[in-house]
Amino acid sequence: MKYQIISLLAFLALLSNNIFAQDTLMLMRGKRLLISDAAIGVNAKGDTILTYQYKGRQRHKSASKVFSVNKASGERVFYVQEFDDDLTISQMRSFLRGQADFRKGFCWWAFAGGVASVGAAAAIPPIEFDDKISGSIPVGIIVPFGYLGVLMKTSKSAKKLKSKFNFPADEYYIVGAQYAISQQRFRSGLLGVLTGGVLWVAISAIND
């Protein structure tokens, strides 16, 4: 009986390891995924393809879009530094980690600014042509596009990030985090512009 219990416990431990064993896939776009059953193959065109299980489905990804796969046995890096001015493997790993750690989030002030920029665009009267040419130019539309352009160039300063988070002493990690925050702001602002545009159209339709 004692040996049966030990065998059962050993079986359950092995089963648990198989169920919960996961690998970490780091994509070149700074996204980290927990996957399983990662395998490398070559397609008919001769391209290296990574096949893996993610959320119960089999997925395929070109190796050119993958930085690395971390398994219990170690890390397999697919990224190659092609030119001297490219980031090294270590630098790219830090950059992508910073990007992955800060890629999620929503900036409400950027969203509100997007809605407000559309409101400002609606308040600016269009330029009317003279009598010889009928029509007008909605110059206000420049406002939301300009707002999105500004958002793409803004992020948190390294000083503010260091004071708020326990960052490693790694400049490439910080740059990756700043890039991810900039993308957050742009996505939130774009959603705000689209929302403001829908409201603008709806209000214009009601007034007409």
Side-chain angles (χ1 to χ4, degrees):
M1 183 67 179
K2 179 179 179 181
Y3 294 107
Q4 290 177 336
I5 294 175
I6 293 175
S7 299
L8 177 61
L9 291 175
F11 172 75
L12 291 175
L14 179 62
L15 180 63
S16 176
N17 287 335
N18 288 335
I19 291 175
F20 295 105
Q22 289 185 310
D23 306 326
T24 302
L25 170 66
M26 179 66 82
L27 299 177
M28 288 298 298
R29 57 192 177 98
K31 187 174 184 179
R32 187 188 293 116
L33 304 177
L34 293 178
I35 64 172
S36 60
D37 301 328
I40 303 168
V42 179
N43 63 12
K45 297 179 180 180
D47 300 324
T48 303
I49 301 295
L50 180 69
T51 303
Y52 56 93
Q53 292 286 332
Y54 178 64
K55 293 185 176 180
R57 293 179 58 188
Q58 188 177 60
R59 310 292 178 98
H60 305 276
K61 188 75 65 176
S62 170
S64 62
K65 298 180 180 180
V66 176
F67 174 78
S68 68
V69 175
N70 267 298
K71 293 188 170 188
S73 57
E75 181 186 31
R76 169 70 185 272
V77 177
F78 294 88
Y79 170 75
V80 177
Q81 182 185 3
E82 297 183 2
F83 304 101
D84 292 339
D85 57 349
D86 288 343
L87 295 184
T88 65
I89 290 176
S90 177
Q91 291 168 346
M92 181 61 77
R93 182 187 290 110
S94 295
F95 176 82
L96 293 177
R97 282 178 178 172
Q99 192 176 342
D101 288 346
F102 286 84
R103 72 183 306 273
K104 293 183 179 180
F106 191 80
C107 298
W108 285 104
W109 66 263
F111 174 83
V115 175
S117 68
V118 175
I124 298 175
I127 297 177
E128 301 289 343
F129 293 117
D130 56 32
D131 296 338
K132 297 180 181 178
I133 305 175
S134 60
S136 61
I137 300 177
V139 292
I141 201 68
I142 297 174
V143 177
F145 283 106
Y147 177 72
L148 292 176
V150 170
L151 283 182
M152 291 183 67
K153 302 295 183 181
T154 64
S155 185
K156 283 187 177 294
S157 69
K159 184 178 180 180
K160 288 183 178 179
L161 287 173
K162 288 179 180 178
S163 64
K164 188 174 182 179
F165 302 98
N166 185 23
F167 268 18
D170 188 330
E171 63 174 308
Y172 294 97
Y173 181 91
I174 295 175
V175 172
Q178 289 177 315
Y179 179 80
I181 293 170
S182 177
Q183 293 299 301
Q184 286 178 24
R185 293 180 175 183
F186 175 77
R187 287 192 297 267
S188 302
L190 177 60
L191 183 59
V193 168
L194 294 176
T195 302
V198 171
L199 293 174
W200 185 3
V201 172
I203 292 172
S204 298
I206 294 174
N207 292 334
D208 290 344

